[in-house]
Amino acid sequence: MSAGLTSMLSTAAVAWEPKKPIEFVIMAGQGGGADKMARLMQTVVEKNGWASKPLTPINKPGGSGAEALIHLNGKAKSDPDHTIMVTLNSFYTTPLRQPNLKIDIATFTPIARMAEDTFLLWVHKDSGIKNVDDFVAKAKAAGSDWIMAGTGKLQEDQLLTDFLNASYGLNMKYVPYKGGGTVAKQLAGKHANSTVNNPSEQEGFYKAGDTVPLAAFTDKRINIFPDAPTFKELGKDFVYLMQRSVVGAPGMSDEAAAYYQALFQKVFESPEWQDYRNKRALQGAFLSGSELKDYWMVERDNHRAMLQKMGAL
């Protein structure tokens, strides 16, 4: 294809612009990693004047993200071009666990993977726990009285809790909340014994000296927590990351999809987003279109296997 034709097609593809405010659905509660990410992206877009209409954040955390999925799926018949969603790994687990929702993620429009977020095991500084061996000893002694606070049921945080219980012979009680920000507050307030929060969710309490990261669920140590080993270093071959992606409604027009894909690529490349990625230990390259959909299919299979292993399917 000639350069001139490519340019013409590209121009035509992005000629569409939103005609009204864009619903920016967040598949989690306020104060968590997804919420913080969405509101930063909204700020970057508005500050730079990159969208002709505003992005309007709407939190829909109910049912471990089922509320958000139903809302976005329903836009296929009404207005698929003006609703997008920030998602996490409940994008996979909730449809798998609740087939009655009749949600097929393969029908959603792949806009942009902005990052893969990391997880760490956290305790309160007053617990006296200095490392994972200390954690295992105390959690094992406490049995089901040990409270692990997390976001949602049978999604990311509970999958990690199940891994810890199975790998170390623990019987921690998992207590779900609607957002990572609330979870972080539960640990800081000593209403829970541990969490597996993302760095952005624990950042304030960590900087205040209230909470301590013990180990990371990553392939390599996280640069902003150099003293926290990976579970791989500790002999557990387990790595778990969470997508931070922007998803469009089923039935979105090709022109609208191209518009949002180009918009969020600009956000990804912005100094503000790159700075946020570095400070929050986010990983993963930008993905869009068919590459992002292929990624979803692989991750859905991986999560199906994890849920089957823990008896949730």
Side-chain angles (χ1 to χ4, degrees):
M1 185 181 294
S2 71
L5 181 56
T6 301
S7 177
M8 287 172 61
L9 289 174
S10 176
T11 301
V14 297
W16 181 91
E17 288 193 351
K19 311 300 185 294
K20 62 182 185 179
I22 303 154
E23 282 193 9
F24 200 21
V25 179
I26 304 164
M27 201 178 172
Q30 294 184 0
D35 184 63
K36 290 179 179 180
M37 162 185 159
R39 293 176 193 279
L40 172 64
M41 292 192 294
Q42 174 204 19
T43 299
V44 171
V45 170
E46 293 187 359
K47 177 181 132 181
N48 289 285
W50 286 340
S52 58
K53 298 294 181 182
L55 277 67
T56 306
I58 304 170
N59 294 88
K60 289 186 176 293
S64 297
E67 177 189 10
L69 286 164
I70 292 168
H71 181 78
L72 190 64
N73 198 54
K75 292 293 181 175
K77 295 181 179 179
S78 56
D79 189 5
D81 286 357
H82 291 87
T83 307
I84 57 178
M85 180 175 76
V86 170
T87 189
L88 39 159
N89 289 355
S90 50
F91 183 65
Y92 316 120
T93 56
T94 295
L96 287 170
R97 290 192 305 106
Q98 302 183 52
N100 59 307
L101 296 177
K102 294 182 169 36
I103 298 290
D104 179 4
I105 65 171
T107 65
F108 286 86
T109 304
I111 292 174
R113 187 186 76 179
M114 303 297 289
E116 290 181 301
D117 210 343
T118 56
F119 294 85
L120 296 100
L121 173 62
W122 298 85
V123 293
H124 199 280
K125 68 173 176 57
D126 293 344
S127 67
I129 296 172
K130 303 296 184 186
N131 51 49
V132 172
D133 286 342
D134 291 348
F135 168 81
V136 170
K138 288 204 171 187
K140 189 171 288 188
S144 60
D145 289 333
W146 188 275
I147 303 299
M148 173 72 85
T151 303
K153 295 179 180 179
L154 293 172
Q155 53 190 79
E156 303 90 1
D157 292 1
Q158 192 164 1
L159 290 172
L160 295 179
T161 303
D162 182 70
F163 159 76
L164 292 169
N165 277 337
S167 297
Y168 292 102
L170 307 177
N171 189 32
M172 296 181 290
K173 181 181 179 180
Y174 178 80
V175 178
Y177 294 89
K178 286 189 175 181
T182 302
V183 172
K185 290 176 183 176
Q186 291 298 307
L187 181 61
K190 303 182 187 178
H191 306 300
N193 302 105
S194 58
T195 74
V196 285
N197 275 130
N198 307 124
S200 63
E201 295 165 340
Q202 276 290 342
E203 180 187 28
F205 299 115
Y206 168 70
K207 286 183 175 178
D210 295 325
T211 57
V212 179
L214 297 180
F217 296 88
T218 50
D219 188 56
K220 297 178 180 178
R221 291 197 184 199
I222 297 173
N223 61 337
I224 59 176
F225 305 111
D227 295 330
T230 67
F231 280 97
K232 286 184 72 174
E233 288 179 65
L234 300 175
K236 307 296 181 183
D237 191 12
F238 184 81
V239 171
Y240 188 80
L241 300 170
M242 179 163 63
Q243 72 160 339
R244 297 293 189 191
S245 292
V246 180
V247 178
M252 179 178 282
S253 68
D254 290 344
E255 293 81 9
Y259 173 88
Y260 291 119
Q261 288 162 356
L263 173 64
F264 283 95
Q265 182 155 15
K266 284 200 286 188
V267 174
F268 182 87
E269 293 169 355
S270 70
E272 295 94 336
W273 182 251
Q274 290 302 315
D275 183 58
Y276 183 81
R277 281 172 57 92
N278 291 333
K279 289 182 177 177
R280 303 304 192 278
L282 298 176
Q283 303 180 5
F286 180 86
L287 290 181
S288 189
S290 60
E291 286 185 320
L292 178 53
K293 185 167 282 192
D294 290 344
Y295 168 81
W296 288 348
M297 297 303 99
V298 170
E299 286 300 304
R300 181 171 65 179
D301 289 344
N302 291 341
H303 281 83
R304 180 184 287 112
M306 282 187 272
L307 289 169
Q308 288 172 338
K309 187 174 181 181
M310 66 190 291
L313 291 181

